């Protein structure tokens, strides 16, 4: 489906009465710009094409740095949905607990009806167990928001799976099936959806089983090569690596062999991990798309050109949009990652094993263990805050 966002968002929605009845999304999102995922990310339904070109060979229509880099990777603005729809029109989105909190903090938003409709759901309201009722409300709200966002963007909508299930493979699968069923009830087809799952071993195994059913998954909190390799072997549709968080960890900690090896080579550990994961995926023919998140500046972005998706801060997006493509000596828009370069990359025999739970656990270093735990804690806290808020405002005044 395609929807023009060149006119104001309110006018775009005015013709969608069913959309307004079912709700939408607000708060922080990560969205694909029209020029080409915290995270709402992203993804176009077609496979991106990455011609191997330099800025000097771009046609006359590519007049900014943003145009130039978008020829090489999908650039994903880390944006606020309320302010930036027209500046960087989205092509896809992610819905999460943090997004629900954003909606609830702005009661006048056009998306608030999504939450109110969820809280009025008779099936959830009839549940006598408070925990199950609040969980049901949260799931309905996520789906209502995701369904409405699917009417705004032509690409896929990624839905966060409860991080409290991160170590429960079957719990994750049941949750995804429930969410998928709810999406079906509002006529959102499976091909428009991704399900965002933490990259624990149990999450990776859930991804494998779901992908075997044709359900698209998005594995997040990947901080080590072994996680990325296991996710690729599982067939995850999207694998998300956090560049800046690895860099931050390396500045304040030591003792992680993977990070120390990168530093010894004079490489940034986050950029090195994206490069290695990309090369692994492309050299050995895995279907996964790779997303680089927590990109902090233009040099990070230029160093990753060729990766499937790059999440960029708004200040970086704006700078790219305002800058002409005439490169100075410091920056040239060269594809850094490509299937050709991946073919020449060497991996050790130890890195090419079939990863299982034991080998993954033994190979993950302290950085990936600590950062994964921190990410899970944040997601769990947000999910709890949503349920606590819903407990206070249920039932809504108009029900």
């Amino acid at each position: 489906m395609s929807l023009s966002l060149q006119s104001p968002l309110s006018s775009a929605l005015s013709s969608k009465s069913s959309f307004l009845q079912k709700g939408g999304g607000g708060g922080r999102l990560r969205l694909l710009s029209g020029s080409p995922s915290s995270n709402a990310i992203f993804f176009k339904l077609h496979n991106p094409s990455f011609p191997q070109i330099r800025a000097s060979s771009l046609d006359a229509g590519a007049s900014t740095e943003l145009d130039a880099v978008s020829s090489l990777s999908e650039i994903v603005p880390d944006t606020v949905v309320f302010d930036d729809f027209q500046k960087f029109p989205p092509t896809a989105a992610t819905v999460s607990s943090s997004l629900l909190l954003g909606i609830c903090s702005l009661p006048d938003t056009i998306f608030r009806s999504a939450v109110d409709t969820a809280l009025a759901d008779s099936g959830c309201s009839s549940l006598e167990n408070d925990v199950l009722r609040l969980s049901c409300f949260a799931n309905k709200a996520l789906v209502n928001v995701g369904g409405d966002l699917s009417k705004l963007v032509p690409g896929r909508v990624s839905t966060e799976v409860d991080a409290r299930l991160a170590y429960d493979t079957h719990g994750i699968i049941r949750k995804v099936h429930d969410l998928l069923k709810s999406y079906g009830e509002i006529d959102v087809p499976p091909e428009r959806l991704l399900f965002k799952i933490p990259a624990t071993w149990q999450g990776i195994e859930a991804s494998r089983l779901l992908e075997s059913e044709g359900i698209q998954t998005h594995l997040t909190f990947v901080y080590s090569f072994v996680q990325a390799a296991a996710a690729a072997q599982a067939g995850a549709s999207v694998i998300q690596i956090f560049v800046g968080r690895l860099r931050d960890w390396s500045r304040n900690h030591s003792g992680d062999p993977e990070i120390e090896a990168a530093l010894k080579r004079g490489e940034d550990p986050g950029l090195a991990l994206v490069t290695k994961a990309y090369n692994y995926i492309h050299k050995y023919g895995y279907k996964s798309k790779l997303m680089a998140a927590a990109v902090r500046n233009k040099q990070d972005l230029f160093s990753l050109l060729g990766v499937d998706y790059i999440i960029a801060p708004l200040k970086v997006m704006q700078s790219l949009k305002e800058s002409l493509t005439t490169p100075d000596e410091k920056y040239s828009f060269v594809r850094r990652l490509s299937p050709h370069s991946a073919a020449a990359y060497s991996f050790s025999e130890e890195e090419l094993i079939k990863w299982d739970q034991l080998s993954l656990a033994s190979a993950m270093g302290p950085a990936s263990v600590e950062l994964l735990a921190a990410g899970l804690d944040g997601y769990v806290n947000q999910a709890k805050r949503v349920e606590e808020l819903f407990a206070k405002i249920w039932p809504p005044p108009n029900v």
Side-chain angles (χ1 to χ4, degrees), residues 98-347:
S98 64
L99 182 57
L100 296 183
L101 292 171
I103 293 169
C104 292
S105 70
L106 295 169
D108 58 340
T109 174
I110 56 175
F111 300 109
R112 179 57 189 264
S113 58
V115 173
D116 291 340
T117 302
L119 292 174
D121 184 85
S122 59
C124 297
S125 299
S126 65
L127 296 173
E128 295 183 3
N129 183 287
D130 290 343
V131 173
L132 294 179
R133 182 170 62 248
L134 292 173
S135 177
C136 183
F137 285 146
N139 290 341
K140 289 291 184 181
L142 287 170
V143 168
N144 286 350
V145 172
D148 293 341
L149 286 171
S150 74
K151 295 178 172 69
L152 282 175
V153 299
R156 293 182 285 183
V157 175
S158 183
T159 303
E160 178 184 291
V161 175
D162 194 336
R164 288 169 290 191
L165 300 172
Y167 294 98
D168 181 354
T169 295
H170 296 294
I172 292 170
I173 292 172
R174 285 193 297 269
K175 179 67 72 175
V176 170
H177 285 163
D178 288 345
L179 292 168
L180 192 60
K181 180 181 177 181
S182 295
Y183 272 116
E185 292 170 354
I186 58 173
D187 299 323
V188 181
E191 60 267 22
R192 296 293 312 282
L193 300 169
L194 286 157
F195 294 95
K196 191 174 183 181
I197 299 169
T200 59
W201 170 254
Q202 291 79 5
I204 293 169
E205 183 68 1
S207 173
R208 182 184 68 80
L209 294 169
L210 290 165
E211 292 281 352
S212 71
E213 299 177 29
I215 299 171
Q216 301 175 105
T217 60
H218 164 202
L219 285 173
T220 189
F221 299 145
V222 174
Y223 297 105
S224 63
F225 171 74
V226 293
Q227 286 177 288
Q233 291 178 1
S237 294
V238 177
I239 300 170
Q240 185 170 351
I241 294 174
F242 293 85
V243 174
R245 295 182 192 177
L246 279 166
R247 179 184 303 149
D248 294 342
W249 192 95
S250 71
R251 289 172 175 170
N252 298 293
H253 304 81
S254 61
D256 187 288
E258 188 172 352
I259 287 179
E260 292 185 355
L263 294 174
K264 188 175 181 179
R265 296 191 302 268
E267 299 175 0
D268 176 89
L271 299 176
L273 177 56
V274 172
T275 299
K276 189 172 185 177
Y278 177 93
N279 290 336
Y280 179 81
I281 289 168
H282 285 269
K283 182 167 184 172
Y284 297 106
Y286 294 106
K287 73 167 191 175
S288 304
K289 301 298 182 183
L290 192 61
M291 170 169 280
V295 170
R296 302 285 170 76
N297 51 58
K298 284 167 67 169
Q299 186 57 60
D300 282 351
L301 188 147
F302 295 153
S303 298
L304 293 168
L305 289 178
V307 73
D308 302 290
Y309 309 108
I310 302 174
I311 296 178
L314 275 185
K315 64 179 181 179
V316 172
M317 292 291 300
Q318 191 63 40
S319 177
L320 291 169
K321 189 175 183 179
E322 293 174 351
S323 301
L324 298 178
T325 53
T326 304
D328 56 26
E329 294 181 357
K330 185 176 182 181
Y331 298 136
S332 59
F333 303 106
V334 178
R335 182 170 186 175
R336 305 291 181 178
L337 305 176
S338 71
H340 178 74
S341 62
Y345 194 93
S346 296
F347 291 90

